[in-house]
Amino acid sequence: MTFDNNLDHIDSPRPISNGMDKIVSLAKRRGFIYPGSEIYGGLSGTWDWGPYGVELKNNVKNLWWRMFVQERDDMVGLDAAILMNPKAWEASGHVSGFSDPLVECSNCKSRFRADNLEDKNVCPSCGKKGTFGEARQFNMMFKTHVGADETAASISYLRPETAGGIFVNFKNVMDSIHPKLPFGIAQIGKAFRNEIAPRDFVFRAREFEQMEIEYFVNPAEWESAFEEWRNNVHAFNDAIGIPRDAVHELEVVPEDRAHYSRRTIDFEFDFPFGRKELYGLAYRTDFDLKAHMEASGVNLEYMDEQAKQKFIPHVIEPSFGVDRTILALLASAYTEDELGGESRTYLKFNKAVAPIKAAVFPLLKNKPQLVEKAREIYLSLKKEVPQIMWDDNGNIGKRYRRQDEIGTPVCITVDFDTLENDTVTVRNRDTGEQVREPIANLKSVI
Ligand code: ATP
């Protein structure tokens, strides 16, 4: 296990063990994920998304948005500001309570998150026993100043979760859209936490992305809504290709729940470094709306026209981490096998998330007729399916390897027969099998 035991913001990216090395190295080598600010030695807990990483991430976010916002009539979207009035975070309890227990080794001065230590008596950095004093609570919100004055009055925070923006806009959505309960507001966006020990690649970062839903219900119906969203979480995993048998539900015991939650299920995934939280599903009761109503003085009640009754809606919150989803996808897809007597590595992404859906090659790069025909096919396919790639570098074998490593499901090769009969070779990533297909069929093949 590796620990990032430094609270300094600038330190170099650490090596990652536990079988993750290959995934991290492929992610960098093939343009998925790079260490943040790498040429300056990195910035701990930050990662930069490369050309294929950003396509993969967008595919996941678009599928989520489509499934949970666009295809439903009880959901709407929102994109709230990252910087919020600090009173919102005071009301939600984050200013006083969003902290992790921090311990420091009196011998080597390394710092750790106390609840993540395997042995609370031994410093994992220097190996000394009994060097940790009492844990102190470390607030994880990033503070900043808004405006030219750096005074206490100008303090604001980078949001530690996207949920806050949804609660403070509850009234705006009610007044502008007039939805009836039950309904939900979804948001995808960045969240920031000054984690004591960012580690395990993008699993625990200081800047990351969340896809969150606040689903507002009549309190009498919270249990059925909770069940519905529990099933929806699994349906989303099915759609993107995270295997069900690698996901495990953990009923969180009351003493481990967040301050706002009356019931929480963690959806844990078998990451290469152990079984850890992928997503959370929480019943936040009316905690947030009530707290914001009291702190702001603005009425956030809902009027049930039929029952002629006013009440504060209760909330079911499914919370999906984008970065952990990508890591689970990379870990599920990473495959090593042997093809044609040679070992190879490939990413077995399903078509829905694969960053590139198909690559088009001319068999030979120095034959203008082949290149021209291949270009024509490439451009016409790209109009229909934008995530198509052109590759004429190196020999065909090298091109296949490259496409395998970024998870491209099919490669299309234009050869001399194409010029005769308008068919191409279509090669399947998983089996390496090649079949001839008429050009006219390519769209449906992809
Ligand atoms: P953990 O216990 O692992 O710190 P958490 O319970 O604090 O996580 P939540 O507050 O429930 O996490 O956040 C919702 C989701 O946001 C998580 O399920 C996860 O997918 C994602 N997430 C939280 N913290 C991080 C982080 N530091 N880096 C990447 N993703 C994160």
Side-chain angles (χ1 to χ4, degrees):
M1 188 164 289
T2 55
F3 287 88
D4 180 332
N5 54 15
N6 197 333
L7 267 185
D8 291 342
H9 286 191
I10 296 176
D11 53 8
S12 48
R14 285 154 197 266
I16 297 170
S17 60
N18 314 313
M20 281 288 291
D21 311 52
K22 289 177 177 174
I23 293 173
V24 176
S25 131
L26 181 131
K28 181 169 181 229
R29 184 162 37 87
R30 285 292 174 224
F32 284 91
I33 304 170
Y34 312 123
S37 318
E38 196 184 9
I39 63 166
Y40 288 104
L43 178 66
S44 183
T46 67
W47 298 92
D48 294 339
W49 293 75
Y52 301 121
V54 73
E55 293 296 330
L56 174 64
K57 194 152 86 145
N58 284 342
N59 290 345
V60 166
K61 290 193 284 185
N62 291 341
L63 272 163
W64 187 91
W65 194 260
R66 190 180 166 143
M67 188 166 179
F68 293 140
V69 182
Q70 295 169 335
E71 287 180 0
R72 298 178 60 120
D73 51 17
D74 59 347
M75 291 284 306
V76 292
L78 182 79
D79 187 8
I82 288 174
L83 290 173
M84 293 174 63
N85 187 313
K87 287 182 190 154
W89 299 115
E90 282 160 25
S92 67
H94 285 79
V95 171
S96 58
F98 194 62
S99 45
D100 275 341
L102 179 148
V103 286
E104 185 174 293
C105 169
S106 59
N107 182 49
C108 71
K109 308 292 177 219
S110 299
R111 288 162 167 182
F112 302 96
R113 207 175 119 174
D115 55 339
N116 275 349
L117 285 174
E118 267 169 21
D119 183 342
K120 296 199 172 13
N121 226 351
V122 182
C123 171
S125 189
C126 68
K128 278 231 168 187
K129 276 190 183 167
T131 55
F132 293 136
E134 277 290 296
R136 72 174 164 92
Q137 288 302 317
F138 173 75
N139 193 297
M140 289 196 292
M141 284 204 292
F142 277 100
K143 255 187 210 155
T144 187
H145 289 273
V146 174
D149 292 330
E150 293 206 358
T151 62
S154 70
I155 287 178
S156 183
Y157 304 93
L158 301 187
R159 64 183 179 203
E161 55 176 24
T162 57
I166 299 182
F167 291 120
V168 302
N169 279 290
F170 174 77
K171 185 168 159 37
N172 279 336
V173 173
M174 288 305 302
D175 292 350
S176 51
I177 309 284
H178 310 290
K180 298 269 168 287
L181 287 190
F183 78 94
I185 304 177
Q187 176 164 228
I188 299 179
K190 291 265 186 176
F192 303 82
R193 295 181 187 180
N194 200 359
E195 293 279 357
I196 295 168
R199 59 176 162 161
D200 294 324
F201 200 25
V202 295
F203 177 84
R204 189 171 301 289
R206 286 180 172 139
E207 173 176 341
F208 54 97
E209 248 180 308
Q210 293 182 315
M211 306 181 282
E212 292 196 302
I213 290 164
E214 305 306 324
Y215 195 73
F216 299 97
V217 297
N218 185 312
E221 286 158 10
W222 81 265
E223 277 160 313
S224 57
F226 193 93
E227 279 313 304
E228 192 212 325
W229 283 101
R230 185 182 188 170
N231 292 330
N232 289 346
V233 168
H234 291 293
F236 175 68
N237 279 341
D238 292 345
I240 61 173
I242 292 182
R244 277 213 183 195
D245 59 5
V247 178
H248 312 272
E249 291 186 8
L250 175 81
E251 186 74 46
V252 179
V253 294
E255 53 272 32
D256 289 345
R257 281 187 220 136
H259 59 280
Y260 47 72
S261 170
R262 202 179 296 163
R263 184 178 178 197
T264 298
I265 289 179
D266 282 351
F267 294 81
E268 299 189 315
F269 178 79
D270 292 321
F271 288 101
F273 42 84
R275 188 172 288 183
K276 297 273 170 68
E277 175 177 335
L278 173 63
Y279 312 132
L281 175 64
Y283 169 38
R284 286 177 87 127
T285 67
D286 57 357
F287 175 88
D288 299 88
L289 287 184
K290 205 165 158 185
H292 288 304
M293 183 161 145
E294 279 165 14
S296 67
V298 174
N299 190 354
L300 299 177
E301 286 173 312
Y302 172 84
M303 177 69 194
D304 186 331
E305 299 291 351
Q306 266 183 338
K308 300 277 174 256
Q309 209 185 13
K310 270 188 173 176
F311 59 88
I312 301 176
H314 281 220
V315 164
I316 305 298
E317 178 196 69
S319 178
F320 301 71
V322 177
D323 312 70
R324 290 188 189 177
T325 307
I326 301 294
L327 185 53
L329 280 172
L330 284 170
S332 313
Y334 185 91
T335 314
E336 289 175 351
D337 70 354
E338 225 176 68
L339 196 66
E342 272 183 52
S343 59
R344 69 156 179 167
T345 301
Y346 72 105
L347 292 176
K348 207 175 186 167
F349 289 137
N350 80 11
K351 281 188 185 172
V353 300
I356 300 294
K357 311 297 182 209
V360 180
F361 317 147
L363 179 66
L364 299 168
K365 157 182 190 176
N366 55 1
K367 297 281 177 218
Q369 273 175 307
L370 289 186
V371 173
E372 200 182 311
K373 186 73 186 168
R375 256 340 260 184
E376 190 188 298
I377 295 171
Y378 162 74
L379 290 173
S380 90
L381 284 176
K382 203 165 173 65
K383 268 196 207 130
E384 308 278 344
V385 188
Q387 289 170 322
I388 301 267
M389 190 175 154
W390 169 262
D391 194 356
D392 59 5
N393 261 332
N395 63 36
I396 289 281
K398 284 210 179 104
R399 295 179 203 165
Y400 284 156
R401 292 288 167 278
R402 262 200 303 273
Q403 295 301 328
D404 284 348
E405 282 201 320
I406 62 169
T408 307
V410 291
C411 292
I412 296 161
T413 304
V414 172
D415 55 22
F416 293 103
D417 289 346
T418 313
L419 305 177
E420 303 293 317
N421 60 13
D422 273 341
T423 65
V424 290
T425 307
V426 175
R427 181 249 192 195
N428 177 297
R429 173 196 65 203
D430 300 347
T431 59
E433 231 169 56
Q434 301 181 21
V435 291
R436 283 210 78 85
E437 287 280 355
I439 295 171
N441 286 0
L442 286 178
K443 209 186 128 196
S444 62
V445 168
I446 295 167

